[in-house]
Amino acid sequence: STKSYSETFRPQFHYSPEANWLNDPNGLVWYEGEYHLFYQHHPHSTVWGPMHWGHAVSKDLVYWEELPIALWPDHNGAIFSGSAVVDWHDTTGFFNGGSGLVAVFTHHDTQTPSGVPRQSQSLAYSSDKGRTWTMYEGNPVLEDERHVDYRDPKVFWDSERERWAMVLAAGQRILFYHSPDLIHWSFGSEFGASEGSHDGVWECPDLFRLPVDGGSGESKWVLIVSIGPSDELAEGSRTQYFVGEYDGVSFVSDNPPDTVLWLDHGRDNYAGVTWSDVPAQDGRRLFIGWMNNWKYANLLPTEAWRGAMTLPRELGLAVCEDGVRLRQMPVKELEALREKEFRINHAVINAGDGNLLQDIHGSALEIEAEIKLTGASAFGFRIHGSAGQGTVIGYDASRSYVFIDRRNAGISDFHPDFSCEHGADLKPSGDILKLRIFADHSSVEVFAGDGRVALTDQVFPGPEHQNLELYVQEGSIEIISLHVYGLKSIWDS
Ligand code: FRU
């Protein structure tokens, strides 16, 4: 890339736009050797405004190339979130019997007689690998005046019934539709009257089948639902999921209605969805989220751009004590970024010992640790450190709780709810705790217990915060293995 991406806080191995505003990932699709990442984008400002689809492509989910804007607002309104699929058999008739990409998105129209914005679902298509797009002249293809919030269509090919399926968010429900051609849609059912969290408006659903770990051949359907921020709750916007069954018409959750499952226990992973059309021989279910929170998204202390994506992650289903639960790990391709390795195996560290990591400095790092709990009440890493400041990623053994504390992580005065500590319960697996941590210039992502707990947070520490510390409280831990890697920037090639 010829771009420098060297500004303070600029992510070095996460996607961010060269300039201006970014929110939700959109149109995630793999086609002819490229992963497409479209995204909610305002090309004229660093705050949210009339939405366009920005565009980037990658061959490996690591290095991204930003392309010109794909979708511009038109007479039907601004371009809100949605998905993209490969129309392999030209069910739409857009491709003269060949194949191409179809984007299915929400048109958000503010120019209505009543003044109340209207949301409807529309199509655009591309025959040149997503470089140029044509709006379908029959837009919109799906409207329902009963719903004010009616958006974020995620479409997939339902191979069992040989037709397209759509999940759509309406108020605090998910609606299921199906179609032979992406143009004519039939309503199937509604989900969510009594299930899950209703802390805010439901947005950006996704629905897919995943195999359950353990080799039994069993699989389950996962329904992802992002929920908007409420004024009362400090958590802001966050993402829940349901595990259950889907029969082409309706989704039924396996869990009691009051079960709430969070996809991420940090504050900054929102509106995430998964890639369509990943080749069957790969077979992975790949996810990316907007690494942000509507509570303060418009206020972040960056200048040229505002907003970034999480790392791309591979999803799976683990069998846990309470049932089948989502697990996630960054894609293996990211190992290509590792350089400068520090490694230590089999070492006992006691509370009060000096900092084992005092010679390591950096602000783009990966830490991979397998720690045996041998009596310490807590241990953890302080990253982006300097002069008593830093982000703490810790494990409280007395409470079996993994957490991020960003109260002293750098700039936080742009919103009163930004400064906080939060985490999730996680039992060690036979005294062993596994942690994988990615620290970039303005974020930290933690994957604990083989990805059963994910914590994604933004932090704004500034360039002088380069120290790394391992601390132990009251007692000892045994390092089974600890690797720390400096990570290359994806923008210096
Ligand atoms: C989620 C969301 C979507 C909407 C888009 C608008 O973050 O509110 O529901 O389509 O952002 O930019």
Side-chain angles (χ1 to χ4, degrees):
S1 168
T2 53
K3 298 161 183 165
S4 74
Y5 289 97
S6 58
E7 307 96 327
T8 303
F9 306 133
R10 175 67 87 171
Q12 295 301 300
F13 57 92
H14 290 83
Y15 184 76
S16 62
E18 185 187 17
N20 294 313
W21 169 267
L22 165 150
N23 60 292
D24 313 356
N26 295 152
L28 304 178
V29 63
W30 188 92
Y31 188 50
E32 299 194 351
E34 293 176 319
Y35 293 94
H36 290 268
L37 168 62
F38 300 91
Y39 49 89
Q40 290 287 281
H41 184 45
H42 187 197
H44 310 299
S45 166
T46 54
V47 295
W48 189 86
M51 284 290 106
H52 301 55
W53 274 25
H55 191 194
V57 289
S58 174
K59 291 189 166 57
D60 55 10
L61 297 165
V62 178
Y63 294 92
W64 293 96
E65 180 189 356
E66 185 167 330
L67 295 177
I69 288 170
L71 299 177
W72 298 76
D74 67 357
H75 63 280
N76 283 310
I79 317 297
F80 270 23
S81 285
S83 50
V85 288
V86 183
D87 184 11
W88 288 108
H89 304 296
D90 199 19
T91 62
T92 52
F94 295 158
F95 304 109
N96 288 313
S99 73
L101 294 175
V102 182
V104 188
F105 59 88
T106 299
H107 257 128
H108 178 78
D109 187 6
T110 51
Q111 307 298 313
T112 58
S114 67
V116 178
R118 278 196 59 187
Q119 300 186 334
S120 56
Q121 320 320 317
S122 287
L123 307 179
Y125 54 97
S126 168
S127 304
D128 59 357
K129 298 175 62 166
R131 270 43 180 194
T132 60
W133 291 83
T134 306
M135 287 288 180
Y136 172 54
E137 76 244 351
N139 282 341
V141 296
L142 180 61
E143 3 179 29
D144 186 337
E145 287 175 26
R146 290 170 302 173
H147 302 294
V148 179
D149 292 302
Y150 187 60
R151 58 178 180 266
D152 308 338
K154 180 73 160 76
V155 167
F156 63 96
W157 178 250
D158 176 352
S159 54
E160 284 166 71
R161 284 151 287 264
E162 304 219 308
R163 63 190 192 193
W164 298 102
M166 180 199 285
V167 283
L168 187 69
Q172 295 192 10
R173 302 284 185 276
I174 300 304
L175 308 184
F176 299 82
Y177 295 87
H178 50 88
S179 167
D181 55 8
L182 295 170
I183 296 167
H184 303 92
W185 291 94
S186 305
F187 175 72
S189 72
E190 175 186 299
F191 172 81
S194 54
E195 294 89 349
S197 166
H198 288 268
D199 288 342
V201 65
W202 287 17
E203 304 182 313
C204 299
D206 196 356
L207 177 67
F208 47 86
R209 193 204 273 279
L210 274 183
V212 178
D213 288 355
S216 67
E218 192 195 3
S219 65
K220 286 281 169 197
W221 286 86
V222 177
L223 174 65
I224 292 183
V225 179
S226 281
I227 51 181
S230 76
D231 291 339
E232 302 85 64
L233 295 173
E235 283 82 357
S237 50
R238 43 187 179 163
T239 301
Q240 63 178 330
Y241 71 93
F242 302 89
V243 180
E245 297 300 336
Y246 169 71
D247 62 4
V249 177
S250 43
F251 176 87
V252 180
S253 168
D254 282 354
N255 295 294
D258 59 355
T259 310
V260 178
L261 303 175
W262 299 116
L263 182 128
D264 195 301
H265 296 269
R267 289 284 165 87
D268 295 304
N269 183 355
Y270 193 64
V273 285
T274 66
W275 262 275
S276 184
D277 292 278
V278 173
Q281 66 270 25
D282 178 322
R284 290 180 295 174
R285 181 53 58 173
L286 299 168
F287 167 99
I288 199 167
W290 175 39
M291 194 156 56
N292 215 333
N293 191 314
W294 278 120
K295 272 265 156 162
Y296 43 69
N298 281 286
L299 305 171
L300 304 183
T302 60
E303 274 163 24
W305 83 99
R306 201 178 261 123
M309 295 298 170
T310 67
L311 287 176
R313 304 170 185 193
E314 179 180 354
L315 302 182
L317 286 176
V319 181
C320 301
E321 252 173 38
D322 308 334
V324 173
R325 298 291 182 260
L326 213 50
R327 59 169 171 74
Q328 57 195 300
M329 273 304 215
V331 295
K332 63 179 185 313
E333 287 89 333
L334 291 159
E335 291 172 17
L337 295 175
R338 291 173 174 176
E339 52 181 19
K340 281 195 289 177
E341 182 183 349
F342 169 92
R343 154 211 302 255
I344 184 162
N345 292 325
H346 298 289
V348 173
I349 312 289
N350 295 296
D353 286 355
N355 174 20
L356 182 73
L357 305 177
Q358 64 178 356
D359 295 330
I360 305 181
H361 301 280
S363 43
L365 297 170
E366 178 188 348
I367 302 172
E368 202 173 15
E370 212 175 305
I371 304 289
K372 188 166 183 185
L373 298 161
T374 53
S377 64
F379 77 92
F381 297 91
R382 181 176 285 102
I383 61 163
H384 291 143
S386 83
Q389 289 245 305
T391 302
V392 178
I393 295 140
Y395 187 69
D396 182 337
S398 56
R399 286 196 292 156
S400 298
Y401 181 76
V402 56
F403 64 90
I404 294 182
D405 182 348
R406 65 176 179 189
R407 287 175 295 182
N408 296 303
I411 296 176
S412 64
D413 60 359
F414 52 88
H415 192 282
D417 290 328
F418 188 82
S419 173
C420 57
E421 181 273 339
H422 45 261
D425 296 333
L426 179 67
K427 295 223 173 71
S429 114
D431 288 346
I432 306 265
L433 193 82
K434 284 191 188 174
L435 281 177
R436 206 153 158 222
I437 299 167
F438 288 80
D440 201 341
H441 287 189
S442 50
S443 64
V444 39
E445 282 153 291
V446 179
F447 303 90
D450 290 311
R452 291 174 188 215
V453 170
L455 294 155
T456 304
D457 270 7
Q458 295 181 97
V459 287
F460 297 97
E464 68 285 10
H465 297 244
Q466 298 267 342
N467 298 341
L468 183 61
E469 183 189 342
L470 170 66
Y471 70 89
V472 176
Q473 284 169 1
E474 299 168 309
S476 69
I477 58 169
E478 182 185 341
I479 295 174
I480 306 294
S481 67
L482 171 63
H483 296 233
V484 181
Y485 304 92
L487 298 182
K488 281 187 269 204
S489 169
I490 63 173
W491 308 114
D492 307 327
S493 51

